[in-house]
Structures are given as structure tokens and as C-alpha cells.
Amino acid sequence: MHLSLGCLSKPILHGYFRSSCSWRVRIAFALKGIEYDQAPVNLIKDGGLQRTQQYKALNPMQQVPALEIDGITLCQSLAVIQYIDETRPGPLLLPADPKKRAQVRMISDLIASGIQPLQSLYVIQKIGAEKVQWAQHFIDRGFQALEAILKQTAGKYCVGDEISMADICLVPQVYNAERFKVDVEQYPTIKRLNQTLTEIEAFKLSHPSCQPDTPPDLRA
Amino acid sequence: MHLSLGCLSKPILHGYFRSSCSWRVRIAFALKGIEYDQAPVNLIKDGGLQRTQQYKALNPMQQVPALEIDGITLCQSLAVIQYIDETRPGPLLLPADPKKRAQVRMISDLIASGIQPLQSLYVIQKIGAEKVQWAQHFIDRGFQALEAILKQTAGKYCVGDEISMADICLVPQVYNAERFKVDVEQYPTIKRLNQTLTEIEAFKLSHPSCQPDTPPDLRA
């Protein structure tokens, strides 16, 4: 009975409105048309509520997101997105063709391993005064590579003409770049893809400006 | 004809003996029993041969590994490993069960996004004098979380009793931790799994101490 209830209940996403990794998961849910509950974790208040013992039990890395789903707790946004894709109906977030899947994962990992961690809150906090230059350096470094790759892989979206996990990673990373005042005009393919994607309902609904924990002054 | 030849020729791995991300791919090839050629890229010589125009064309991120396979070039080690797993016979590197697959990806991403990038060569070079303390801080931070997760997921290996991509990520990260003098004794599950895994032929054959580009004084 417990397992059945676990499978029937809505997934619970522990996230933060402004976290790009939380936003990735919100986009995936929206694209799949899956209902879920949000349990906001304020990363700033009282030194960060992700550091509480209660939250550490959900995600020992003390990061968002963490997802309670099907009776287990999953962390790491790309693992979460691929789990959703493999267990839920709706549009495929990874294409069926192995080469295209590999390209989607390559672009997703370039962002999720090669850019985002280096400008994440816990790294920036350790860098101190030079934090904006540090973040700009690593975002620019990553975007130069990403632009070169996307020139080869992109159609309407990051890989061909189907929305994928790569697009889910791209938009929140461009949002971070803009927060750190990176000049996105230098990257015409990234800019064009971001413009196309941000017009799509699933990306709008999941935007940091309209989440349950978005502060009133940052609401769209 | 060109495509057929591309598929029949051996994959070419552009890597570096000591790079943990290159080692991940070498382990995957060894576990699958796939022959490949190595094209070493010296990350130190002349400021790093990954910065050449020739190499940038293969991997715009100027990192190793890059893999030429089936007529395409793939970068990002986890994308490469999953491509190999999805297109080649041999033992599965990701389990068939979706929950276990998700746990394998969660552990792999914790290492590949949450630890390795923060102690990678290009970040360490930017940190300067404090580089050892910086690397130790982020490896310890990651290992504390990893230890807590592995206590729940591990059997003989990282997830249950089958070798997976999580194990492929673990061993090179422990090797990095030891290079930075992190005390692995603090993490009994990580230590136990690493000991078990390093006895396995595929992990031995792919070790940094016995690659074509391993300098004579570092050979086992």
C-alpha cells in the first residue's frame, strides 16, 4: 500500500526560484505536463536553509534541487530529468537516435559540469570580492565553446528541431549569464536559441519570476 | 562508403594519462572490451596542447577527453560513456532499472559536476597559491555528501552489486583526492569501494600509471 501511494502522489520538488538547476527540473515537468508540488528552500535566509540537518537528509550536497518521486529522493538535475524522461509519457527530452542523444548530453554536461558549478552560489561565496569577474570568466569560457558546438548541432533548437535536455540547460544558464552581466550578444547562436526558447510556455511558466517563493519585488 | 569505414575503424581517444575524465572513458572501454587508439594531448607542455587550434576543433572547451567514434566527435566523458553503453555490446554501464539508473547518474553527476570541475587543472591554475587548500575543500565537501549517499546505495559496488558508470567516476576521483592529500580514511564506504574496484582488471589497465603517454618516472 505504501509503495502504491508513493507512486500515485505528486512529486515534491525542493528548489529555489532563482536556482538554475531547480529551473531545469521545472522546465522538464512543464514540457512533460506533469503536476508537482514545490517545497521552496531559501538559499540566502539565515545563511541558507539548504544547510539544515532536515534538508541535508534529502540532499547531502546541501544544494537544490532534490526531488521526492516514486518513493525515492533524487538529486542532481540531469539525473532527475532523465529519470522523468524514462518513466513518464509526453515529449521525449532525449532524442531516440543515439548520436543525437550523445550530442544532447554533451551540451547539457558542458553547461552542468563546465559552466554552472564554477559560478554557483557556494563557489562565488568562497571567491569573495572578485566574484563577478570570476563568474564572467568561466561563463565566457564556456559560452565560447558552446557557441562553436551549437553552430554544428543546432536547428530550431540546440540539437536539431526537437526540444531536448540541452535546451532545458541552455535557458537557465543564459539567465545566469545575464545576472553576471555577460555580453550575450557575442554569442549569436546562443542568443537566437534563447530567444526562441523563452517564448515557449513551459519555459515561461517555470521562470524564476513567477514561482511560489519569488519575492514580490522580483515578480514579473 | 565513408560512413561504413567510419563505423568500422577503431575509436580514437584524445586524452591525457593523468586526466580523471580521460580515465573514466578508458575504464568504460576496458569494461566493454572495446579496442581503441589513444592520441595523447599533453595538458602541461608548452602551456597545454589542448589550447592549439587543431585540438580546439575537436573539443572547443579545450579539455580532454574528446572521442572520435562512428564518424562524429564527442566530448564530455559521461556523454561519451553513455553513448558507448547505448551502442556497444558488453556489460551494461547503466542498469536497466530506472531507479537504479537514476542513482547511478546522481552519483556520477555529483562527482562530474559537484567535485571534479572545482579541482580541475584550469580552475586550479586560476586559484594560484591557495590551490591545494581550495581543492581539498571542494573534494572533502563532495566526499562528505558522497559517503552519505553511498551508504544508502552501495552493495559490492556504488549502486548495488553491478559495476556501473558511478564506479567509473569514483575511482579516478579518489585518485585525484589522494594527489591533493585528502584523507580518504574519513570516508569508509568510498575507501572500501575504491579498494574493491582498483583490484579489477579494467581499472588496472586504464590506470594513469600505464598509459602510452605516462612519463617513465611515473610508470608503475
Side-chain angles (χ1 to χ4, degrees), chain A residues 70 86 99 101 112-113, chain B residues 70 86 99 101 105 112-113:
Chain A
D70 300 343
E86 292 178 354
K99 286 184 186 174
R101 292 166 75 80
S113 295
Chain B
D70 301 343
E86 291 178 354
K99 287 185 185 174
R101 291 166 76 79
R105 289 197 181 109
S113 295

Side-chain angles (χ1 to χ4, degrees), chain B residues 25-92:
Chain B
V25 177
R26 295 196 302 262
I27 300 168
F29 275 134
L31 286 169
K32 286 280 197 186
I34 297 167
E35 289 194 22
Y36 63 103
D37 287 323
Q38 293 203 42
V41 181
N42 192 318
L43 301 187
I44 306 299
K45 193 181 167 189
D46 300 337
L49 300 184
Q50 75 279 18
R51 299 182 205 272
T52 62
Q53 283 305 318
Q54 193 186 359
Y55 187 73
K56 262 179 83 170
L58 285 170
N59 186 346
M61 275 296 263
Q62 305 172 54
Q63 295 172 329
V64 287
L67 182 70
E68 294 183 73
I69 187 167
D70 301 343
I72 58 170
T73 303
L74 290 176
C75 307
Q76 298 294 333
S77 60
L78 302 193
V80 166
I81 291 166
Q82 289 176 87
Y83 179 75
I84 294 169
D85 201 35
E86 291 178 354
T87 58
R88 264 56 181 180
L92 285 178

